[in-house]
């Protein structure tokens, strides 16, 4: 009996040990599987919006944008000539703008830092385009800093070249990226996916989606797919902001600066995507891509009383031709983006934006007979028309504002205007998410980030 009990005890001990070893092995296998799953997460590319990349002098290394005061030696303006591709200076993009320090006693203003921090908190690490190890590509994100002043086609083509160079160096031909793009960065991503490293076709644009072989999902955060009236207002009045954040008392971008930037013209609202009203709040028909319209309504830069003082004699002569070329290029860029025409798109689009903020959706054109000039009104300030009829703030607000994020309307992000014209295939959208947030804060909003990471975390996406 004693021997039998000992044998039973030894057998029980054996099975207990076997169970423990099995459990340890299973746990190790599960951990390894989890690690392998995490390693399979596709790398991410972050593309900032207008003004969202640092610009430095490539010869001196001096930071020109963003800094509180203007550089003594450089400016953000580009040269002015009708040959847009040749209008270059010494500035190059160095990095995405993570945050800025206005004065020492105030906290840093976050721009894209919180988005990058959220990626790190979700298990990603920042990688560099030129030094990333092949074994380090998994769970990584790259920031694409680009010269936001220049033609968006140029920026899209450069993105494709960087991706191809990276994949060649890593020897990962089949590697695909998820793209997180903010504002104008979404237009760069769209063009890159549709046309790869190719300029806008001379004939009718027809995308071949050659860039899509590098991409799985493209997230468009507050992207002006149908343009934004804020671009027109900026060209007429200038702006005081960086990456969409108003920063009074610091370096602004005047209308003379913005006049020289081809990218800004490419953000102008498309035909049918905004409304124009007369002094009676009745609709007008207006083609803002026709240069003569700018002269008719006193929008042309050369009609500004400070034009001669702000531009050299050569620039003054070149200004009209440059302007015509920039408008034409903008129209061609929009045509290229709207030329899809098929639902069979090899990349998945997800849009994230806001629908709760008053956003410019129309302008009012009123005549000031005393000054013999037109007034272009973007806000809801009350006014009295030539017949003595007074329009209140509420009346004006109802006609010139729409829902959006304060800069980009919901309809522009969702390409509603093109959908209503029977062109729903222009941008086949898998997911639409709207949260109440300002344009500049979409990338830092915690709810938006949660939605973003939920989509990134799904194996097949939506």
């Amino acid at each position: 009996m004693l021997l039998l009990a000992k044998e039973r005890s030894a057998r029980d001990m054996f099975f207990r040990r076997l169970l423990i070893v099995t459990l340890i092995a299973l746990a190790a296998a599960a951990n390894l599987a989890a690690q392998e799953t995490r390693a399979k997460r596709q790398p991410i590319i972050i593309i900032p919006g207008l003004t969202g990349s640092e610009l430095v002098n490539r010869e001196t290394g001096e930071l020109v944008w963003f800094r509180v005061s203007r550089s003594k030696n450089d400016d953000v303006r580009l040269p002015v000539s009708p040959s847009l591709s040749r209008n270059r200076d010494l500035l190059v993009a160095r990095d995405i703008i993570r945050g800025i320090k206005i004065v020492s006693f105030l906290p840093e203003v976050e721009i894209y830092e919180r988005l990058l921090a959220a990626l790190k908190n979700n298990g990603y690490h920042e990688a560099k385009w030129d030094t990333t190890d092949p074994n380090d590509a998994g769970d990584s994100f790259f920031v694409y800093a680009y010269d936001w002043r220049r033609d968006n086609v140029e920026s899209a083509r450069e993105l494709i070249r960087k991706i191809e160079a990276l994949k060649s160096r890593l020897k990962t031909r089949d590697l695909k990226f998820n793209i997180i793009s903010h504002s104008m960065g979404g237009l760069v991503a769209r063009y890159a996916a549709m046309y790869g490293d190719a300029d806008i076709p001379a004939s009718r644009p027809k995308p071949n989606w050659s860039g899509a072989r590098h991409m799985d999902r493209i997230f468009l955060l507050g992207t002006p797919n149908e343009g934004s009236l804020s671009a027109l207002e900026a060209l007429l009045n200038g702006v005081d902001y960086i990456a969409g954040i108003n920063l009074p008392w610091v370096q602004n971008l005047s209308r003379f600066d913005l006049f020289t930037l081809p990218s800004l013209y490419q953000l102008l609202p498309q035909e049918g995507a905004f409304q124009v009203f007369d002094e009676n709040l009745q609709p007008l028909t207006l083609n803002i891509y026709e240069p003569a319209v700018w002269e008719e309504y006193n929008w042309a830069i050369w009609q500004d009383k400070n034009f001669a003082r702000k531009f050299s004699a050569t620039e003054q002569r070149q200004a009209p031709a440059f302007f015509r070329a920039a408008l034409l290029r903008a129209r061609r860029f929009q045509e290229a983006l709207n030329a899809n025409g098929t639902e069979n798109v090899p990349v998945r689009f997800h849009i994230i934006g806001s629908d709760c903020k008053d956003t410019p959706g129309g302008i009012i054109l009123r005549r000031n007979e005393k000054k013999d000039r037109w007034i272009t009104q973007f806000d809801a300030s009350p006014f009295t028309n030539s017949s003595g009829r007074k329009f209140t703030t509420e009346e004006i607000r109802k006609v010139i504002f729409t829902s959006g994020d304060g800069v980009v309307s919901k309809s522009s992000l969702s390409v509603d205007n093109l959908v209503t014209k029977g062109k729903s295939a222009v941008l086949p959208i898998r997911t639409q998410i709207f949260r109440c947030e300002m344009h500049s804060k979409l990338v830092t909003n915690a709810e938006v980030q949660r939605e973003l990471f939920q989509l990134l975390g799904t194996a097949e996406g939506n």
Side-chain angles (χ1 to χ4, degrees):
M1 292 292 291
L2 182 60
L3 182 61
L4 184 60
K6 288 182 178 180
E7 290 176 350
R8 189 182 303 115
S9 176
R11 187 172 62 249
D12 291 345
M13 180 65 72
F14 170 76
F15 282 114
R16 279 198 297 271
R17 289 176 176 172
L18 179 62
L19 177 61
I20 292 171
V21 171
T22 302
L23 290 174
I24 292 173
L26 288 172
N31 183 54
L32 180 62
Q35 290 178 352
E36 290 177 346
T37 300
R38 285 195 299 271
K40 291 179 181 178
R41 288 197 301 185
Q42 291 161 320
I44 292 170
I45 298 173
I46 311 295
I47 308 179
L50 185 74
T51 74
S53 298
E54 292 180 347
L55 300 178
V56 300
N57 184 304
R58 66 170 178 265
E59 294 182 353
T60 67
E62 179 190 17
L63 177 66
V64 178
W65 182 267
F66 174 78
R67 51 185 290 170
V68 174
S69 59
R70 287 185 179 272
S71 167
K72 294 180 179 179
N73 302 312
D74 295 289
D75 209 336
V76 293
R77 290 192 195 182
L78 285 168
V80 173
S81 84
S83 180
L84 303 183
S85 62
R86 296 180 182 178
N87 295 339
R88 298 181 179 276
D89 56 16
L90 293 176
L91 302 191
V92 294
R94 180 174 67 181
D95 191 14
I96 195 172
I97 296 181
R98 298 160 191 263
I100 58 174
K101 193 78 170 175
I102 305 301
V103 290
S104 59
F105 57 84
L106 290 178
E108 183 178 74
V109 178
E110 291 181 336
I111 307 298
Y112 290 103
E113 179 59 40
R114 196 175 297 180
L115 173 61
L116 307 186
L119 284 165
K120 293 174 183 176
N121 291 337
N122 279 269
Y124 291 89
H125 63 275
E126 184 171 359
K128 303 299 181 183
W129 292 96
D130 299 326
T131 59
T132 298
D133 184 271
N135 298 321
D136 202 32
D139 290 340
S140 63
F141 69 87
F142 299 79
V143 296
Y144 176 52
Y146 63 100
D147 189 341
W148 41 265
R149 305 171 302 163
R150 301 191 55 76
D151 176 21
N152 282 310
V153 174
E154 178 183 306
S155 300
R157 297 178 69 185
E158 179 60 26
L159 172 63
I160 293 297
R161 294 183 195 122
K162 288 181 78 72
I163 291 174
E164 290 178 342
L166 175 66
K167 290 173 66 172
S168 176
R169 189 170 59 79
L170 297 180
K171 296 180 173 56
T172 52
R173 186 179 65 177
D174 297 328
L175 183 67
K176 287 194 172 186
F177 296 82
N178 288 317
I179 311 294
I180 300 176
S181 55
H182 178 226
S183 195
M184 188 177 75
L187 302 183
V188 173
R190 285 181 60 194
Y191 188 94
M194 296 173 73
Y195 297 93
D197 183 17
D199 199 358
I200 301 174
S203 57
R204 185 176 180 180
K206 185 176 181 180
N208 56 17
W209 293 97
S210 59
R213 69 181 184 273
H214 305 302
M215 306 170 188
D216 183 14
R217 282 169 280 182
I218 297 178
F219 298 88
L220 305 175
L221 278 66
T223 294
N225 291 305
E226 291 184 353
S228 170
L229 262 178
S230 296
L232 178 60
E233 184 174 11
L235 283 166
L236 301 189
N237 301 321
V239 291
D240 296 295
Y241 73 81
I242 174 173
I245 299 177
N246 289 325
L247 298 172
W249 314 113
V250 301
Q251 176 185 175
N252 70 327
L253 294 175
S254 72
R255 69 175 304 206
F256 305 106
D257 300 323
L258 298 174
F259 171 77
T260 71
L261 313 187
S263 62
L264 190 57
Y265 296 89
Q266 295 168 357
L267 299 181
L268 286 169
Q270 298 183 25
E271 180 184 357
F274 75 111
Q275 294 181 293
V276 183
F277 301 94
D278 64 16
E279 64 168 13
N280 299 307
L281 300 190
Q282 294 302 306
L284 290 174
T285 300
L286 200 76
N287 181 5
I288 63 172
Y289 294 90
E290 175 54 55
V293 168
W294 291 65
E295 291 196 326
E296 179 180 356
Y297 292 104
N298 307 122
W299 294 350
I301 196 78
W302 46 88
Q303 293 172 310
D304 192 294
K305 62 182 181 180
N306 293 312
F307 175 64
R309 187 166 60 87
K310 296 292 186 178
F311 290 95
S312 68
T314 300
E315 289 174 326
Q316 292 174 47
R317 289 193 299 271
Q318 297 275 34
F322 162 81
F323 178 67
R324 290 192 295 271
L327 277 183
L328 178 60
R329 183 67 171 177
R331 193 61 179 265
R332 293 283 292 147
F333 176 67
Q334 293 174 354
E335 289 174 353
L337 290 182
N338 295 338
N340 180 31
T342 176
E343 292 285 356
N344 188 24
V345 172
V347 63
R348 293 170 284 181
F349 289 96
H350 305 268
I351 66 171
I352 302 176
S354 175
D355 58 358
C356 71
K357 305 294 183 181
D358 278 349
T359 304
I363 59 173
I364 300 171
L365 288 171
R366 300 187 284 116
R367 184 73 180 166
N368 186 329
E369 296 296 346
K370 290 184 178 180
K371 295 185 177 180
D372 191 29
R373 290 185 61 83
W374 286 92
I375 297 171
T376 304
Q377 182 169 329
F378 292 89
D379 61 23
S381 299
F383 68 87
T384 301
N385 68 9
S386 59
S387 300
R389 164 76 158 89
K390 184 174 182 178
F391 289 94
T392 65
T393 295
E394 190 57 33
E395 288 177 300
I396 298 169
R397 186 181 298 277
K398 286 180 180 179
V399 297
I400 69 169
F401 285 102
T402 186
S403 61
D405 61 21
V407 175
V408 176
S409 68
K410 178 183 178 182
S411 62
S412 178
L413 174 62
S414 303
V415 290
D416 289 347
N417 179 61
L418 294 173
V419 170
T420 58
K421 289 186 177 181
K423 299 180 181 179
S424 58
V426 164
L427 182 60
I429 300 167
R430 298 294 186 95
T431 307
Q432 296 191 52
I433 297 171
F434 293 95
R435 295 291 180 264
C436 187
E437 188 54 273
M438 296 296 294
H439 181 75
S440 61
K441 298 293 185 67
L442 285 171
V443 293
T444 63
N445 182 285
E447 270 190 73
V448 168
Q449 290 176 358
R450 278 196 294 271
E451 298 280 5
L452 182 61
F453 288 118
Q454 284 179 2
L455 291 172
L456 284 169
T458 57
E460 298 298 328
N462 289 327

